[in-house]
Amino acid sequence: MGSTNNTSHFASFAAYTPPPDDPSYVATTSRNTSRAWFPSQQPTTSYQSGGIPTFNTSQAGGPGAVEDAEAEAATSMWETRHGFRVDLLSAFAYILGPISALTLLIVETHNDFVRFHAYQSALLTTPLVILRILASLLQFPPFLRTLLTLLLVIPSLYMAWQAYIDATRNGLVRFQIPFIGPLAERWVYEE
């Protein structure tokens, strides 16, 4: 019988074998091949996993990448006052109508994207809530009150979904409602 190589990583029935991605285990083996199914240790760049997103710079650290990342960390578009996610806060601005919009305008002072959606939500939902309350007080027919309720709920849910999608997939593109969106944008820039 010839000698066998005990560095095989396929199956080991030893009492304890370190996992194949353990650095001390990899260092003791003589293999230098990389495995495509195990990602290499790369810095996290996703804002949701705590990294600083870098725009127009090389992830490998192109010229000026460090300075750009540090400058962006100071005034990041993804940063909120209390560390909450931008996509959830911007969607929350529409969920409770004027209540959530006013709450976010008071609490969130750092992120313009969230403040824009809070202003837009306040401008969209406040008149609709007032109309719905007046319809109830003036004893409008039930079908008209139901229609006003749907007119309040459906656009609010759509705008919450749109704000969430714009923050997660579209790089903080602001979806503006005609007439209301430009006004909200102007209020954010005048602050």
Side-chain angles (χ1 to χ4, degrees), residues 26-50:
V26 173
T28 60
T29 63
S30 61
R31 291 187 334 157
N32 290 331
T33 60
S34 64
R35 296 172 287 180
W37 56 87
F38 284 118
S40 62
Q41 296 294 331
Q42 297 176 353
T44 57
T45 57
S46 169
Y47 81 96
Q48 293 178 341
S49 55

Side-chain angles (χ1 to χ4, degrees), residues 19 58 187:
S58 170
W187 287 357

Side-chain angles (χ1 to χ4, degrees), residues 107-128:
V107 171
E108 180 54 49
T109 57
H110 288 103
N111 194 295
D112 286 347
F113 185 77
V114 174
R115 292 188 63 79
F116 165 77
H117 282 288
Y119 276 127
Q120 186 165 267
S121 171
L123 290 170
L124 172 70
T125 58
T126 302
L128 294 175

Side-chain angles (χ1 to χ4, degrees), residues 5 19 30 32-34 67 80 124 134 166 174 185:
N5 187 1
S30 61
N32 290 331
T33 60
S34 64
E67 292 81 14
T80 60
L124 172 70
L134 285 175
D166 286 345
R174 295 178 181 178
E185 184 97 26

